[in-house]
Amino acid sequence: MFDYDAVAKRYDQHRKGGGPFMSSLLALADAAGAEQVLELGTGTGNNACAFLDARPVRCFVGLDQSMGMLVRAAKKGLSAHWIRGNAVALPFVNRSFDFLFSVLMLHHIRDIMPVMQECYRVARTGGYTAFITASHDFIDRHPMNRYFPSFAAIDKERFQDVPQIEEALRNAGFGETGQIHAKRDPEPIDEHYLDKVAHRFISTFDLIPDHEFYAGLNRLRHDISVDGCAGTMQWESVTIWGRK
Ligand SMILES: C[S@@+](CC[C@H](N)C(=O)[O-])C[C@H]1O[C@@H](n2cnc3c(N)ncnc32)[C@H](O)[C@@H]1O
């Protein structure tokens, strides 16, 4: 299991909330008439901030299994409850929430069916659940594959592909499901991006063997020093949703 307690400080310094998926989350929250909201795998609360800035709700609960991550979330002064718990066994009674969402958590869980069943159980009838992930197609096209040869293999081994997640939602009982694909504007792979990679801002970089990581980092640093940037990066996300 990836140790988020150990990386919480670094994570919070180099990851920000929001992303190409945020408009889909807000639209689904509106469709759900969301007032009671649960975020699974809330981490340091970055996406809780982005969500609540755009759409304040009566009750927001952020759940995570890492206390180190939650401690940082709690320092952000949001109107939210922070709960340590596991997404496979939620500490809530049936039909407690209008809207549940989760950003880049599912790939840490081998068997996602219990998560889907728990989401179905704690969602009210007519409520929505949404999972944000990266598609295998995007992982294959990610520009960091040029520098880190095992990048795609590591992530495709962890990330469930989109159809598998949608099927799991249906198998858990969600009657309507769908996918929303989104892209952010391209950003330069420049010194700022290099700094994030050097600080292993995504867990993939912690899983790449050290010799490969430092060789790739040096090549990336060199390319950026020559041209000022090493191409562009366009973040793509998929929101997979289910309505109970
Ligand atoms: C990549 S981080 C994403 C954090 C946050 N959603 C964000 O976008 O910044 C994944 C988070 O999922 C949490 N997590 C992983 N498995 C979990 C589980 N079974 N139950 C609850 N949280 C989990 C980790 O502790 C970590 O904080």
Side-chain angles (χ1 to χ4, degrees):
M1 199 183 70
F2 191 80
D3 184 359
Y4 274 98
D5 283 337
V7 303
K9 180 174 179 206
R10 185 187 83 195
Y11 185 98
D12 205 32
Q13 282 169 344
H14 296 282
R15 285 279 280 267
K16 299 283 164 260
F21 53 83
M22 195 43 79
S23 57
S24 69
L25 282 189
L26 296 172
L28 292 166
D30 283 347
E35 287 299 342
Q36 313 280 342
V37 176
L38 172 62
E39 184 188 4
L40 302 174
T42 191
T44 60
N46 286 333
N47 284 302
C49 279
F51 182 90
L52 287 171
D53 272 354
R55 196 183 187 289
V57 295
R58 202 174 305 138
C59 171
F60 187 100
V61 179
L63 176 139
D64 203 284
Q65 65 182 10
S66 160
M67 188 53 91
M69 297 290 268
L70 286 174
V71 163
R72 287 178 186 275
K75 287 182 182 159
K76 293 185 177 166
L78 296 177
S79 173
H81 305 278
W82 306 108
I83 294 184
R84 187 179 188 194
N86 193 327
V88 304
L90 295 175
F92 307 109
V93 298
N94 297 353
R95 295 181 287 280
S96 312
F97 295 98
D98 308 311
F99 185 52
L100 294 86
F101 73 92
S102 178
V103 182
L104 296 173
M105 175 201 70
L106 274 190
H107 61 285
H108 290 294
I109 300 173
R110 275 275 140 206
D111 177 8
I112 60 172
M113 263 326 282
V115 180
M116 303 298 166
Q117 286 157 347
E118 282 293 82
C119 290
Y120 187 82
R121 182 181 68 75
V122 305
R124 70 157 168 80
T125 305
Y128 282 75
T129 293
F131 292 98
I132 314 301
T133 193
S135 71
H136 282 202
D137 177 49
F138 174 57
I139 291 168
D140 275 332
R141 290 183 287 103
H142 198 290
M144 288 302 106
N145 284 306
R146 291 204 303 273
Y147 295 94
F148 306 98
S150 47
F151 186 94
I154 287 171
D155 272 358
K156 285 198 294 185
E157 216 268 317
R158 309 190 291 162
F159 280 73
Q160 303 83 10
D161 206 1
V162 173
Q164 187 190 343
I165 297 172
E166 190 171 352
E167 188 185 351
L169 278 166
R170 277 200 301 274
N171 289 341
F174 289 93
E176 277 175 63
T177 62
Q179 304 172 13
I180 303 167
H181 295 247
K183 290 181 187 184
R184 191 136 92 177
D185 290 341
E187 53 177 320
I189 299 173
D190 55 8
E191 288 286 345
H192 175 65
Y193 196 88
L194 176 69
D195 186 54
K196 293 198 299 180
V197 175
H199 287 92
R200 304 181 200 236
F201 76 113
I202 49 177
S203 55
T204 320
F205 292 120
D206 283 297
L207 301 174
I208 290 172
D210 268 356
H211 66 277
E212 179 185 330
F213 177 74
Y214 288 111
L217 188 65
N218 283 338
R219 280 203 307 280
L220 182 60
R221 184 175 286 120
H222 171 264
D223 288 359
I224 291 171
S225 73
V226 170
D227 287 334
C229 81
T232 58
M233 159 72 194
Q234 187 167 25
W235 182 9
E236 297 179 23
S237 67
V238 188
T239 303
I240 305 139
W241 60 268
R243 180 171 188 268
K244 181 169 173 182

